[in-house]
Each structure stands twice: as C-alpha cells, then as structure tokens.
C-alpha cells in the first residue's frame, strides 16, 4: 500500500511538472532588434497587422470602445470573454512590457491572469514574425487607454483552472516559427504567412478534436462553428467548386462574389479585416488558397465579376425536377423563378458556393435558420432571409436542396435525404439556433 502511495505521489508530481512546463510563462522571448524605420511608420505597420489579425472583432464588445474587450465566446466548456487590450494600466495592458506582450500573443500567457484559453488564437499568432509583432506592440501602446473592466469567464470545472492549460499546450501547441516553402514563389509564401499567422484562418476552418485543438492533418478542411459550417477552403475543394483568384479577392474584399456571399462571422471578418487590406495581399492569399504560385494584380483588379456574371435561366427540364415546386412556393418570391436574385438586395443562386460545396450542410441550415440582413455600404447590401423551419418538412428541404445542388451547383449525383435534414434540424434546435433567424436561444 505504501509503495502504491509513493508511486501515485510521484506520478502526480510528474504530471504537475509536465503541465507547468507547458505554460507560455517560460517562453524565451528574443531581444528587440533596432529598427531603422521611423516610429510613426512602425506604428502604422502595427495598425495594419492589427487589421490583418482582426483584433478589433474579438476585442470590441457590443457598443463598446475599440479593443476594450467584452465579446462573449460560447465554448463547449462555458462562456469566455475577450479582454481589454488598450494601454489602460488598471484593466488593459498598460503595465505590460514587450516580453509580456510577446508571451500573451505568441505563447498564450498573460502576466495578469496566467495561461490563456485557445479561444485567443495564439496557436496561429505564434507564426507571426518578430518585426510584425514589434510593430503590433508599438501600435497598441499608441492607442487611447480605455478604463473598461473585464468580464469574468463562466466555465465548468476543470476548464476554469488556467494552470491545466499548460497540459493542453504540451499536447497540442506547436511552438515553432513560420516555415516558408523554398520551392514556392514569394507571393505564395506571403499568402501562406497570412493564412497561417495573422489571418489565423485555420482557427475557424480546421476541424478540432474533443479538447478543442486543431487537427493539423485536416488543415482548412472545414469545421462547425455556432451552428454553421466554416467551409472547406483547401485548394482541392475550392478548385473543384470552380473558384478563381478574382472570385476569392471579390469575396474577401467586398463580402460577395460570383460564387456567393459571406454571412455571420465571415461577414464580420470581411468588414473588420479583409476589406481594409490591399489587393496585393488579397491576391497572395487567393494564390495560396488556390495553390497558384502567381496571381497577377491585373487578374484580380477591376470591376467585380458579380456585375458581369452571365444570367443563366433554368431549362424546362430543370423545372420538372422534384424540389422546383417547393422552390417556387417559398424561394422564388425573392430569388426569382430562375434563381437570378436582385442586384444589391438578393443573392443569385447559380454557382453559389452553398450548392457547389461538397457538404450540403450550410444549404440546409440556411433554409431552416434564415439569414439576417447586411449592409456593406450605402449602395451595397442584402435583405434578410426568413427562417422556413416551421413551414417546410424534412422531405421538402431534402428535395429543394437536391434540386438546387443539381441545377446551380452542378452536382448531379449528390443526394440529401430526409434523415440528413432531420439530424441537422434536431441539432440546430437542440443548440438553440432555430428560434429567431440564426440567433442562439438564451439559456
């Protein structure tokens, strides 16, 4: 018995040491390198890195001041709130030194509260180079301090104990710099750097395991997030759907393209981040995602293909397919009898990625949940779409989606059945997403 107790204590001590060594607190931060650029240029580059990293979206609460925190993240383990990252000395990062900032952003360790939850995408920001991070540090020292208190997280045990996150880091955190591919072009590597580091695209688009860690072997293959599917954005999937560089740049710049329109979280990413980036950077991103070594600016500049898209009308044969009548009854009033949509108000359906995607999940979810309106500018926007959850049966949804995927998605063999619709409907209902548009029901 005594021997077992000693073994148990030894294992417990080893576990504690293992977890402790996973804390970002122990990260070795390289010394600052003298930069010859003027301070205002460094600060401006930092502002651009903040835009590329979409800091404002996660650190600006409803009706709150920029970067003052308060955004709620509904994780499987409870609510996590973003924090105040303005230079306020009491509530923000005003007492941080450069090393503290590095450990928080790249290694997920706050000198104020300890290990950070991976809702903060330090797993991606770890790839930021030191020049960009120094610029970001300079920028956050330059903004106005806001004395906004932070909200307390509401997490279940043992997720509420930050010390244990060191164990998560030991198991899942890849502590390595960005790795360019010497066999690919400079532009391709620039796109890779943005996607993997500042853009942290994998945080939403890479499947996660049961402990909420990204699965590197399935990078960018799509993940479920707040009742939607952040789509598969691998080159294989995008090329099979028919995306080109111009389509991607249009979508990233304006939130809409020949292949459809953004909504929900991706719409916010476009508004806060991508729409403020130059076309040169967006061309690099599109080249990397499509696995093209070179995308010329001439290829992506100019008028949107959206306005130049050919109007494709349904054939009489298309209108005999099962599902067309349901389309006429519930959808044609806004999208038109041929799915052409209405400029600056209702999206066209031909080649829409909701139907060209291999997964039919979002096309089913949109019908059941509806979509809120959005306004990108004074002249561009999309009206809201009603939820049809109460009006259409599982069979009607299955037939409608199959019809749309065949005529507008060119997927002749893809079949959605009643059981698939039923399963998705029940999942959305259980998670509280079918009560009012896409908003989650409060507990």
């Amino acid at each position: 018995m005594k021997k077992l107790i000693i073994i148990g204590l030894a294992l417990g001590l080893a576990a504690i040491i293992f977890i402790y060594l996973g804390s970002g607190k122990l990260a070795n931060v390289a010394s600052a390198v003298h930069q010859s650029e003027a301070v205002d240029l460094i600060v401006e580059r930092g502002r651009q890195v903040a835009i590329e990293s979409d800091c404002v979206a996660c650190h600006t609460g409803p009706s709150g001041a920029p970067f003052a925190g308060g955004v709620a993240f509904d994780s499987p383990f409870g609510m996590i709130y973003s924090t105040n990252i303005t230079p306020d000395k009491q509530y923000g990062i005003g007492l941080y030194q450069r090393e503290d900032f590095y450990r928080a952003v790249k290694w997920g360790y706050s000198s104020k509260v300890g290990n950070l939850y991976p809702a903060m995408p330090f797993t991606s920001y770890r790839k930021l180079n030191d020049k960009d991070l120094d610029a970001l540090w300079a920028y956050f020292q330059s903004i106005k301090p806001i004395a906004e208190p932070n909200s307390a997280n509401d997490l279940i045990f043992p997720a509420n104990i930050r010390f244990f996150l060191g164990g998560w880091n030991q198991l899942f955190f890849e502590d390595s710099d960005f790795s360019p591919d010497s066999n690919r072009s400079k532009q391709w590597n620039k796109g890779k750097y943005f996607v993997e580091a500042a853009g942290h695209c994998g945080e939403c688009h890479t499947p996660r395991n049961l402990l909420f860690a990204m699965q590197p072997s399935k990078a960018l293959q799509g993940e479920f997030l707040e009742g939607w599917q952040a789509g598969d954005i691998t080159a294989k999937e995008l090329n099979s759907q028919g995306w080109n560089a111009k389509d991607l740049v249009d979508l990233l710049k304006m939130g809409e393209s020949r292949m459809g329109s953004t909504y929900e979280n991706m719409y916010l990413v476009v508004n806060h981040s991508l729409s403020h980036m130059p076309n040169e950077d967006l061309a690099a991103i599109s080249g990397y995602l499509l696995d093209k070594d070179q995308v010329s600016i001439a290829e992506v500049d100019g008028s949107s293909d959206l306005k130049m898209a050919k109007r494709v009308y349904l054939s009489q044969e298309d209108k005999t397919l099962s599902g067309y009548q349901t389309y006429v009854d519930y959808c044609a009033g806004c999208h038109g009898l041929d799915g052409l949509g209405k400029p600056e108000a209702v999206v066209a359906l031909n080649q829409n990625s909701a139907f060209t995607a291999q997964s039919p999940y979002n096309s089913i979810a949109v019908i059941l949940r509806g979509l809120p309106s959005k306004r990108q500018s004074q002249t561009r926007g999309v009206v809201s779409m009603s939820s049809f959850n109460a009006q259409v049966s599982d069979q009607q949804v299955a037939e409608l989606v199959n019809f749309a995927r065949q005529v507008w998605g060119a997927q002749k063999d893809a079949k959605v059945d009643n059981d698939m619709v039923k399963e998705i409907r029940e999942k959305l209902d259980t998670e509280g997403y079918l009560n009012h548009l896409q908003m989650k029901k409060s507990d």
Side-chain angles (χ1 to χ4, degrees), residues 394 418-429:
D394 293 340
N418 299 359
D419 290 341
M420 182 184 295
V421 177
K422 180 181 179 182
E423 182 180 347
I424 293 173
R425 193 196 296 263
E426 289 178 348
K427 183 174 186 293
L428 290 173
D429 191 33

Side-chain angles (χ1 to χ4, degrees), residues 270-424:
V270 170
N271 260 12
H272 292 304
S273 172
L274 296 163
S275 63
H276 302 283
M277 293 175 63
N279 278 4
E280 290 81 359
D281 291 349
L282 300 181
I285 294 169
S286 66
Y288 173 69
L289 291 177
L290 293 169
D291 200 25
K292 296 177 64 174
D293 265 321
Q294 197 61 44
V295 173
S296 70
I297 296 303
E299 199 175 335
V300 300
D301 266 348
S303 300
S304 165
D305 281 352
L306 187 64
K307 296 179 180 177
M308 304 166 64
K310 183 180 178 182
R311 295 169 68 84
V312 178
Y313 295 88
L314 297 178
S315 67
Q316 287 304 312
E317 183 182 355
D318 291 336
K319 295 180 180 179
T320 64
L321 294 173
S322 177
Y324 179 67
Q325 190 56 50
T326 301
Y327 173 78
V328 171
D329 292 342
Y330 295 101
C331 314
C334 292
H335 290 282
L337 289 172
D338 294 281
L340 298 175
K342 299 172 184 174
E344 317 300 354
V346 182
V347 298
L349 301 180
N350 187 42
Q351 292 185 293
N352 192 296
S353 60
F355 307 128
T356 59
Q358 287 298 308
S359 169
Y361 180 91
N362 280 347
S363 56
I364 296 171
V366 164
I367 294 169
L368 298 176
R369 298 178 61 173
L371 289 170
S373 62
K374 63 178 187 179
R375 175 62 55 190
Q376 294 100 312
S377 69
Q378 289 186 334
T379 58
R380 291 191 298 109
V382 176
V383 299
S384 63
M385 174 180 161
S386 300
S387 161
F388 293 96
N389 178 50
Q391 287 96 330
V392 290
S393 66
D394 293 340
Q395 182 176 348
Q396 286 176 303
V397 175
E399 291 177 350
L400 176 57
V401 172
N402 285 331
F403 161 76
R405 284 164 66 82
Q406 288 181 55
V407 301
W408 293 310
Q411 300 200 65
K412 302 297 182 185
D413 300 325
K415 293 294 182 185
V416 172
D417 58 31
N418 299 359
D419 290 341
M420 182 184 295
V421 177
K422 180 181 179 182
E423 182 180 347
I424 293 173

Side-chain angles (χ1 to χ4, degrees), residues 58-335:
C58 290
H59 287 279
T60 304
S63 305
F67 305 118
V71 176
F73 295 88
D74 190 3
S75 80
F77 312 104
M79 299 300 290
I80 299 172
Y81 293 89
S82 66
T83 57
N84 186 335
I85 56 171
T86 71
D88 180 76
K89 291 185 177 178
Q90 182 175 3
Y91 301 112
I93 60 174
L95 297 178
Y96 269 29
Q97 301 298 313
R98 174 179 176 273
E99 289 73 15
D100 298 322
F101 187 73
Y102 262 67
R103 291 193 177 98
V105 177
K106 298 186 77 166
W107 284 279
Y109 180 83
S110 164
S111 59
K112 296 179 71 173
V113 298
N115 294 326
L116 298 177
Y117 294 97
M120 155 65 177
F122 61 90
T123 44
S124 295
Y125 293 158
R126 175 64 183 84
K127 306 298 182 187
L128 283 168
N129 62 48
D130 287 358
K131 186 174 182 180
D132 278 350
L133 201 57
D134 280 338
L136 191 65
W137 169 232
Y139 171 66
F140 276 115
Q141 289 178 291
S142 75
I143 65 175
K144 180 181 178 181
I146 304 294
E148 180 68 33
N150 292 305
S151 300
N153 296 329
D154 184 13
L155 296 165
I156 60 175
F157 177 82
N160 58 348
I161 299 178
R162 290 179 182 270
F163 173 76
F164 291 148
L165 292 168
W168 188 96
N169 289 343
Q170 288 278 44
L171 294 173
F172 305 117
F173 179 53
E174 183 183 334
D175 188 10
S176 61
D177 294 335
F178 171 73
S179 177
D181 187 338
S182 59
N183 294 316
R184 304 305 300 262
S185 69
K186 183 178 179 181
Q187 186 192 56
W188 186 92
N189 276 301
K190 181 180 179 182
K192 181 175 189 279
Y193 174 70
F194 178 83
V195 168
E196 292 185 356
H200 60 281
C201 305
E203 300 286 342
C204 291
H205 289 276
T206 294
R208 293 179 181 269
N209 63 23
L210 292 176
L211 291 179
F212 209 56
M214 290 187 288
Q215 302 180 61
S217 63
K218 300 179 179 178
L220 306 181
Q221 292 182 14
E223 172 63 320
F224 293 96
L225 187 70
E226 298 183 353
W228 298 109
Q229 186 177 39
D232 183 335
I233 56 171
T234 60
K236 179 181 179 182
E237 172 70 8
L238 293 175
N239 284 306
S240 71
Q241 289 185 33
W243 287 85
N244 60 39
K246 175 65 173 167
D247 297 328
L248 280 177
V249 170
D250 282 348
L251 189 80
L252 300 178
K253 192 76 176 182
M254 303 185 300
E256 56 186 3
S257 79
R258 180 180 63 92
M259 301 290 287
S261 178
T262 59
Y263 48 88
E264 279 293 335
N265 288 334
M266 190 61 201
Y267 168 63
L268 298 177
V269 172
V270 170
N271 260 12
H272 292 304
S273 172
L274 296 163
S275 63
H276 302 283
M277 293 175 63
N279 278 4
E280 290 81 359
D281 291 349
L282 300 181
I285 294 169
S286 66
Y288 173 69
L289 291 177
L290 293 169
D291 200 25
K292 296 177 64 174
D293 265 321
Q294 197 61 44
V295 173
S296 70
I297 296 303
E299 199 175 335
V300 300
D301 266 348
S303 300
S304 165
D305 281 352
L306 187 64
K307 296 179 180 177
M308 304 166 64
K310 183 180 178 182
R311 295 169 68 84
V312 178
Y313 295 88
L314 297 178
S315 67
Q316 287 304 312
E317 183 182 355
D318 291 336
K319 295 180 180 179
T320 64
L321 294 173
S322 177
Y324 179 67
Q325 190 56 50
T326 301
Y327 173 78
V328 171
D329 292 342
Y330 295 101
C331 314
C334 292
H335 290 282

